Amino acid sequence: MAWLRAPRVLAGPGIWSFEHRPRPKEEPQEIAVPQLIAGAVISFLCAWLLWSLLMNSYLGPYWKWPLEVMLPDSWRTGNTGVVSSFLYMALILGAIVAVFGRVGRWPALFRRLLAPVGRRVWKRLPGWLAPKDLEALPSGALVLRAVAALVVAWLLWQWCTDEARDSSLLMLQLKNWTPASGDSTSYVYYSASYSLIDLGLVLAVCAPFGLWGEVWRRFAPAGMRRKADTADTSEAGAQVLQVDHAEWAELRAAGAGEAAERLAREARAGLMNDVDHSRITRAWQSVRMQTSRFPAFVESVQRHGSAACGHPSGARDLPVRTARHDLLTGQVRIGTASDDVRNPYDRRGTGAALDPAVLGTSLLAVGPPGSGKTTRLVRPVLETMCLQALAGRAAVVSVGAAGDGPAGDDAFDAVVRVGHRDSPCDLDLYGGTSDPDEAAAVLGEALVGDLAVGVPGGESRRAATVLGQVLGPFRAAHGRFPGVAELRELLDGAPEALGSLRAALEAAGEQGALRELDARERQAQRAGDAGALLADRIALLDRPAFAGFFDTTGRSRQVSLRALDRPLRVRIDLPERGHADASRILARLVLAQFTECAVARSDRSVFACLVLDDASHVVTQEALRGLQRLRSANAGVVLTLRALDDVPESLRGALLGTVGCRMAFAGVTTWDGARFAEVWGKAWVETRDVTDRQIVSDEPFTKLMHSIRRLVTGKDVTAKAVTVRTVERERWSASDLANAVPAGHAVLSVTSVTGESAPPVLVDLRG
């Protein structure tokens, strides 16, 4: 319930919106504490002097002229005149305090000195007196506490104003401080003054215990509360997320009051978590789009409660969470913006977060080993994607080296360990497609895509043509695609394999497939045929370690990326240590299949995310084209690199320009920093140039004073000249990225799928 009630301020892409408090765009001028104290003391003395002069009639009767003009004659005598005089003096005193308090900056001094002390005292109070988590305090206990504090305040007030008791040692007793002269004006003045003092002291004692501010925040009228909550955020141009999350008002309005009441009751009882709430909300959104599902949805909620509309795996949460997640906005917090002068003032101290709105533009992270790419970026992103998959909002595929995965096996629905005989799942080599040309294009990109750099179309197009001449006839003859060993023999031109395939095609009467096979045999006789190259590349997968993998006969449980329209969680472990070249081929294969399948989905309501830890030698021209198409397909890719040198030089600039989110970790080289500095561009900044000019005087007395000063200080007499200019400079220079980023930090810039971007910000990933 505390998570549901927490305010969320949508302040821009990449900003953690959970309990976010916007800051002003420009940094206010900070005034030194001694200057604040001196100004407050001087203004207080001036206010005291002015009030004394007024009270002792040193300024004449003119200050009472408005009272005499405005009041009728009948109000100037008796008790009415006393009360009117008192109110007028209180008004004058309030005006003096307001004017001199503003001149002396009393509120600023209070915020700088007294407010921190009050917060520290509040934190050190015992829990029964000052609860640390007000959101977790039940409403019943809060109301009981407020009523008890109000009763105590009333009793104290009665005790303070009871003239029969001598309480002057504890409170200011009216009778003891009232003059004995009998003057009615003095009596009313002093009585009212010290009554207010008594009341203020009583409230100061009882208000912290009663938590009246929290009572107002919870139970005040919605219009007044919303105005108070959004007063600061509206000035900063932020948007407050105001939605009824706990009572399911939309579900009640649709006629499912019993289902909504059960969900609300389980939420209050602690039987519902954030994944349950997000999953049921997602199911309700789909019901609103297809009203025919409404009866089944209501029945499921009434039967299972918060476990309704469950994930196929039956899981309702992850076994371990290492990051802070807010499934209501889909964000995961990865760090805190540092209080650095190079960061915009409104971003300093705010949380840095990622969500599908920014991951949909894809993310590239560059940093040396040990900089924290896996633990501080990949792991939080995988956690939030797995949580959103359990909520029915995302599908995630994680690809990395075997043995050092950022998340455990129990966080995924399927784990593919390529090269391990105990792997529970297998990888579909053809991506679940039945089209030979599509399968040939994807497989050709995986096999020779790294050789096509600099040549439009290049080897990938030739490889797709050769593979199509083999895959099409084989599927026509056998109803399936060939396995790795069978494909290698066909590409090698083995007479037995080609002869058996030809006989099967003739028996089936597939004349078109026979023509394709004849063309393949003719081209195999030419010099420079791509078949030999493809055979050499596919031979890297035809190793004893991979025996039993990439089976096309249907005897194994294969994972196909055609299922990206469903909330699945898949992890693929590559044999990086013993088969580096084969791992790169498989990584390119998964990336090509992902970009092809994500775009070809008919239902794009589920966000598809591919997390590719260590994308060395994976980025190709076709991969960049695929990344560009993902923005409109509700999908994105997270790529990590040790250095941009792992990408061909002709593709480095295109890669940085294709992705919308860029992240440079501590320890990047100057050459990589120069690439990031170029893509982040420049900004207009204000600079101050201070120059010292020696003062030369011809007057004898001035020359004598300058000589004495030079003898005492050892320096010439100079005058400082300050020049203020607005110049255009790089947001982050290559030298700053290489040398000024502390360990455990990274510079992050994000862009949303709607085109809204944020400048690069130095983020502390340890906070």
Side-chain angles (χ1 to χ4, degrees):
M1 296 301 293
W3 172 72
L4 286 175
R5 291 196 182 106
R8 291 164 176 83
V9 181
L10 307 179
I15 299 178
W16 177 251
S17 61
F18 185 82
E19 295 183 339
H20 172 67
R21 295 184 178 180
R23 305 178 66 180
K25 291 291 185 181
E26 300 294 335
E27 182 176 5
Q29 295 294 332
E30 198 72 25
I31 302 175
V33 174
Q35 185 177 352
L36 282 176
I37 295 176
V41 170
I42 293 174
S43 63
F44 174 75
L45 294 177
C46 292
W48 190 3
L49 176 61
L50 179 59
W51 180 250
S52 300
L53 293 176
L54 292 176
M55 289 294 99
N56 293 283
S57 300
Y58 285 109
L59 299 181
Y62 304 106
W63 68 283
K64 296 183 179 180
W65 177 79
L67 179 64
E68 297 176 355
V69 173
M70 295 175 61
L71 288 180
D73 294 338
S74 60
W75 287 17
R76 299 179 185 178
T77 58
N79 294 333
T80 305
V82 172
V83 174
S84 301
S85 300
F86 170 72
L87 293 178
Y88 182 73
M89 287 187 293
L91 182 62
I92 295 297
L93 179 60
I96 293 175
V97 171
V99 171
F100 285 93
R102 184 177 182 85
V103 173
R105 299 187 180 92
W106 296 355
L109 182 62
F110 176 81
R111 290 192 299 268
R112 295 281 293 278
L113 295 182
L114 299 182
V117 175
R119 286 193 292 267
R120 286 196 294 268
V121 172
W122 178 266
K123 291 180 180 179
R124 294 183 180 180
L125 291 176
W128 63 271
L129 181 60
K132 303 303 183 290
D133 189 5
L134 297 180
E135 296 288 348
L137 191 64
S139 299
L142 182 64
V143 173
L144 183 62
R145 190 183 182 114
V147 172
L150 189 61
V151 172
V152 172
W154 172 254
L155 294 176
L156 285 176
W157 170 249
Q158 292 295 325
W159 183 50
C160 293
T161 56
D162 187 4
E163 297 183 4
R165 298 179 180 272
D166 186 11
S167 58
S168 58
L169 295 178
L170 182 62
M171 293 290 180
L172 296 174
Q173 184 65 19
L174 303 181
K175 183 178 179 180
N176 297 338
W177 289 83
T178 302
S181 61
D183 181 64
S184 59
T185 304
S186 300
Y187 181 83
V188 173
Y189 173 72
Y190 285 106
S191 298
S193 300
Y194 288 107
S195 296
L196 292 177
I197 293 176
D198 285 345
L199 182 60
L201 292 175
V202 170
L203 295 181
V205 172
C206 298
F209 176 79
L211 301 175
W212 294 341
E214 180 67 14
V215 172
W216 171 264
R217 191 186 69 83
R218 289 196 190 182
F219 302 104
M224 301 176 64
R225 185 171 63 250
R226 187 178 299 113
K227 181 178 180 180
D229 293 342
T230 61
D232 297 334
T233 59
S234 60
E235 295 179 0
Q239 179 185 359
V240 180
L241 190 62
Q242 297 285 351
V243 183
D244 181 10
H245 304 297
E247 299 301 328
W248 303 90
E250 293 185 358
L251 194 56
R252 297 177 190 272
E258 295 182 1
E261 182 59 31
R262 175 167 183 179
L263 292 177
R265 184 171 60 252
E266 293 196 1
R268 289 190 292 266
L271 302 178
M272 177 184 293
N273 61 9
D274 54 351
V275 177
D276 297 333
H277 185 278
S278 182
R279 184 186 65 252
I280 297 175
T281 303
R282 160 71 178 173
W284 170 243
Q285 291 174 353
S286 64
V287 168
R288 292 176 58 187
M289 299 297 295
Q290 298 183 10
T291 56
S292 59
R293 300 180 180 179
F294 183 76
F297 171 79
V298 173
E299 181 184 358
S300 177
V301 171
Q302 291 179 347
R303 179 181 300 178
H304 302 288
S306 58
C309 309
H311 189 265
S313 65
R316 297 171 59 183
D317 201 353
L318 294 180
V320 178
R321 294 193 190 188
T322 61
R324 293 186 61 188
H325 304 271
D326 184 18
L327 295 183
L328 206 58
T329 57
Q331 290 185 322
V332 55
R333 180 164 181 161
I334 62 173
T336 304
S338 300
D339 192 9
D340 191 273
V341 295
R342 285 165 293 204
N343 284 346
Y345 179 75
D346 59 335
R347 289 298 310 273
R348 299 175 191 174
T350 62
L354 298 175
D355 59 88
V358 298
L359 292 178
T361 62
S362 298
L363 184 146
L364 173 67
V366 179
S371 59
K373 300 188 302 297
T374 300
T375 58
R376 296 191 173 103
L377 174 64
V378 174
R379 180 175 296 170
V381 170
L382 277 180
E383 281 186 10
T384 187
M385 288 295 106
C386 289
L387 288 173
Q388 294 189 43
L390 293 178
R393 297 177 179 271
V396 58
V397 180
S398 173
V399 180
D404 55 355
D409 296 353
D410 46 5
F412 296 92
D413 303 321
V415 179
V416 181
R417 297 187 181 92
V418 181
H420 291 261
R421 297 186 182 276
D422 57 347
S423 175
C425 299
D426 191 8
L427 181 64
D428 190 346
L429 192 65
Y430 302 98
T433 183
S434 58
D435 185 1
D437 294 332
E438 182 180 346
V442 173
L443 186 58
E445 167 65 17
L447 294 175
V448 297
D450 56 331
L451 303 178
V453 177
V455 181
E459 295 291 338
S460 297
R461 183 179 300 174
R462 296 175 56 197
T465 302
V466 173
L467 289 171
Q469 293 172 346
V470 174
L471 298 180
F474 193 94
R475 181 172 180 80
H478 301 284
R480 62 176 178 86
F481 288 120
V484 174
E486 296 169 327
L487 181 60
R488 180 184 179 184
E489 292 179 353
L490 292 174
L491 293 174
D492 270 333
E496 297 82 1
L498 293 176
S500 61
L501 178 58
R502 179 179 295 276
L505 291 174
E506 290 175 351
E510 296 287 345
Q511 299 299 324
L514 283 172
R515 288 194 297 271
E516 288 287 317
L517 188 61
D518 292 339
R520 171 86 289 271
E521 291 179 347
R522 289 193 302 271
Q523 292 179 7
Q525 306 299 325
R526 300 177 183 175
D529 179 59
L533 176 62
L534 291 172
D536 292 340
R537 286 300 181 95
I538 202 66
L540 296 174
L541 302 180
D542 188 20
R543 306 295 301 164
F546 305 137
F549 280 89
F550 318 116
D551 181 43
T552 59
T553 60
R555 292 191 299 266
S556 62
R557 178 192 176 192
Q558 286 196 331
V559 173
S560 172
L561 298 189
R562 288 287 165 182
L564 288 177
D565 55 350
R566 297 191 294 272
L568 78 161
R569 301 171 296 167
V570 178
R571 194 185 77 191
I572 302 175
D573 294 341
L574 302 179
E576 180 68 30
R577 291 183 176 87
H579 305 272
D581 292 335
S583 297
R584 294 168 184 170
I585 291 176
L586 293 176
R588 288 195 296 269
L589 176 65
V590 174
L591 179 58
Q593 289 183 0
F594 179 85
T595 55
E596 185 68 27
C597 296
V599 175
R601 293 181 300 169
S602 58
D603 182 8
R604 298 181 178 180
S605 60
V606 174
F607 178 75
C609 181
L610 171 64
V611 181
L612 191 55
D613 197 7
D614 190 8
S616 302
H617 307 284
V618 173
V619 179
T620 62
Q621 290 180 342
E622 289 298 325
L624 293 181
R625 295 189 184 97
L627 291 180
Q628 293 174 351
R629 299 196 302 267
L630 292 179
R631 292 198 182 193
S632 59
N634 194 23
V637 177
V638 177
L639 305 172
T640 65
L641 291 172
R642 297 185 180 93
L644 288 177
D645 292 339
D646 295 332
V647 178
E649 184 176 0
S650 59
L651 300 180
R652 295 171 190 172
L655 174 61
L656 289 172
T658 299
V659 297
C661 305
R662 308 167 188 93
M663 201 168 183
F665 282 76
V668 297
T669 62
T670 309
W671 295 274
D672 290 348
R675 291 282 188 177
F676 279 98
E678 181 181 1
V679 75
W680 279 330
K682 299 179 179 181
W684 291 97
V685 297
E686 187 179 89
T687 61
R688 291 175 175 266
D689 297 332
V690 181
T691 57
D692 288 341
R693 179 179 59 84
Q694 182 178 356
I695 300 177
V696 179
S697 178
D698 296 332
E699 298 181 2
F701 180 76
T702 306
K703 293 179 65 175
L704 176 62
M705 297 302 296
H706 287 183
S707 300
I708 295 174
R709 183 174 176 180
R710 186 165 48 250
L711 290 174
V712 173
T713 62
K715 298 180 180 179
D716 293 328
V717 180
T718 59
K720 291 185 178 181
V722 180
T723 304
V724 180
R725 297 182 301 172
T726 302
V727 298
E728 191 178 19
R729 289 185 177 177
E730 292 178 329
R731 300 179 185 271
W732 280 85
S733 65
S735 179
D736 289 341
L737 290 172
N739 305 308
V741 178
H745 291 64
V747 181
L748 170 67
S749 68
V750 298
T751 303
S752 66
V753 291
T754 59
E756 187 179 3
S757 61
V761 175
L762 179 64
V763 178
D764 185 2
L765 302 175
R766 303 167 300 182

